[in-house]
Amino acid sequence: MRLGSAPTAAGRAAAAESLACEGVLSAAQVRATAEAIAALQRPDGAIPWFHGGHLDPWDHIEAAMALDAAGFPDRAAAAYRWLAASQNPDGSWFAAYADAPEGIAEPANRLCETNFSAYIAVGVWHHWLVTGDEEFLARMWQPVRQATDFVLSLQTPGGEIVWCRDEQGREADEALLTGCSSMYQALRCALAVADRLGRARPDWELACGRLGHALAAHPERFADKGTYSMDWYYPVLGTALRGQAAQERIAEGWDRFVVAGLGVRCVSTNPWVTGGETCELALALWAIGDAERARTLLRDIQHLRDETDGMYWTGRVYEGDDQGNEPALWPQEKTAWTAGALLLALAVLAEDKATVAVFGGEGLPEGLPVACSVAECVAA
């Protein structure tokens, strides 16, 4: 499969210039990072974590969105073609795919995670906002529709969505706050795609409203993963929380997860900061109007940058342990999705319209309001 004709060098240079952020990255550094992600892309459009590494659908899409934001829409389109070609008959994707020859998607993990499958709607809507390509949107309607229907087949009566279905068709018995927050954003984008194409989906509207209500009002419906920073900021990143509720949530977890000058802990109990979580928190901070702290986080995480290729190490252990191990980069991987998260954070700070629309949430459908019989909600 061809990757497609490339846009002009001038267009890519202009995109890099627009994402440059004083004190964080220059236009040349932005361009180097975007080119490094593009260099990882296989001829069939798949974007692995790193050369020779596996890929998963969610991180593949995050990298594709970053390519769109950085002026590589041809590469992003190729990434979505790979998704369409690799989709399972039930609308899902597997959790991981091994490095493989062109055109062959070899599952490395046959779990079908709802969050991974839902995210195509976010990427497709973002690509349409970047390009205005109506033919692309029409072609991608079937993959988006099938993926969304698969995801909603695992929604519970309480609104939350369980996190996976295995190869034997068995469903998980719990829902995850991080994944459901991401799926709320994906449902809103799926509704935007449907609206643009004139496809009425009132069932999606109801499901979106139910999930949004669960995220905002019923934390007890989700598995307790409170030591993970993603569970802290993802309800904001996924657009479920805004206003005072979002401000309070960010304030509540700040001291547990943010390490001044280094970034964000992946897990509150470990001395390990990670680039992906730091950049995603920057996106969440921007969404609540705190652009200055977002820029600070992006500056802080530059200790993970490798200037030889413009890529970013996944994370750094910043304290030694009682076995004599010294602080070190860990794992020894420079991942496309870490670099992608950084470019997307730069894009919202630069007020890139497409990226702002997707992560800001303004203008995205919110679903139908939900009447809740739980006593606290009735009282409120």
Side-chain angles (χ1 to χ4, degrees), residues 300-330:
D300 289 347
I301 211 62
Q302 294 310 310
H303 65 90
L304 295 178
R305 183 178 178 86
D306 185 344
E307 287 293 356
T308 64
D309 59 7
M311 290 295 283
Y312 286 78
W313 297 99
T314 298
R316 184 186 296 273
V317 178
Y318 57 87
E319 292 178 359
D321 60 25
D322 53 11
Q323 277 82 48
N325 295 313
E326 297 294 325
L329 291 166
W330 185 84

Side-chain angles (χ1 to χ4, degrees), residues 57-335:
W58 198 101
D59 290 315
H60 165 89
I61 293 165
E62 184 169 48
M65 292 171 66
L67 289 173
D68 256 330
F72 291 71
D74 57 322
R75 296 304 193 97
Y80 297 118
R81 289 198 297 270
W82 181 86
L83 282 169
S86 304
Q87 191 171 30
N88 295 325
D90 66 357
S92 69
W93 284 269
F94 294 121
Y97 293 84
D99 189 33
E102 179 179 351
I104 300 175
E106 296 183 354
N109 182 334
R110 289 183 176 270
L111 278 179
C112 298
E113 297 195 24
T114 47
N115 177 32
F116 286 9
S117 296
Y119 209 57
I120 186 174
V122 180
V124 164
W125 185 239
H126 182 257
H127 184 74
W128 180 81
L129 290 170
V130 169
T131 65
D133 187 341
E134 298 286 355
E135 290 185 7
F136 165 83
L137 202 66
R139 287 195 307 272
M140 295 304 296
W141 167 246
Q142 182 172 334
V144 169
R145 177 185 61 78
Q146 290 179 323
T148 305
D149 285 342
F150 163 75
V151 166
L152 294 183
S153 73
L154 277 75
Q155 187 172 37
T156 74
E160 67 275 20
I161 299 170
V162 299
W163 72 274
C164 76
R165 178 182 287 161
D166 70 15
E167 194 176 6
Q168 286 73 45
R170 296 172 298 198
E171 298 177 6
D173 59 2
E174 62 183 10
L176 305 178
L177 183 62
T178 294
C180 283
S181 297
S182 178
M183 284 186 276
Y184 179 68
Q185 181 190 27
L187 280 174
R188 296 183 70 187
C189 289
L191 284 169
V193 173
D195 287 351
R196 180 69 191 180
L197 295 174
R199 310 277 186 153
R201 291 303 305 251
D203 53 333
W204 291 4
E205 294 182 66
L206 179 59
C208 185
R210 290 166 57 209
L211 178 57
H213 178 77
L215 289 165
H218 293 287
E220 75 281 359
R221 293 179 181 169
F222 303 93
D224 182 5
K225 305 289 183 181
T227 59
Y228 289 86
S229 60
M230 287 192 295
D231 258 31
W232 162 50
Y233 63 75
Y234 244 91
V236 180
L237 179 63
T239 77
L241 294 184
R242 287 293 183 264
Q244 186 63 28
Q247 298 279 355
E248 290 175 357
R249 187 172 188 88
I250 294 299
E252 180 275 329
W254 189 267
D255 291 339
R256 283 188 294 129
F257 291 110
V258 178
V259 183
L262 291 177
V264 176
R265 291 184 180 93
C266 178
V267 184
S268 63
T269 54
N270 296 337
W272 177 41
V273 293
T274 48
E277 278 81 353
T278 302
C279 296
E280 287 181 341
L281 177 58
L283 279 162
L285 288 169
W286 164 83
I288 61 173
D290 198 345
E292 189 51 45
R293 279 203 296 183
R295 288 189 190 89
T296 297
L297 285 176
L298 297 184
R299 285 194 294 269
D300 289 347
I301 211 62
Q302 294 310 310
H303 65 90
L304 295 178
R305 183 178 178 86
D306 185 344
E307 287 293 356
T308 64
D309 59 7
M311 290 295 283
Y312 286 78
W313 297 99
T314 298
R316 184 186 296 273
V317 178
Y318 57 87
E319 292 178 359
D321 60 25
D322 53 11
Q323 277 82 48
N325 295 313
E326 297 294 325
L329 291 166
W330 185 84
Q332 290 291 310
E333 299 170 352
K334 292 179 286 187
T335 44

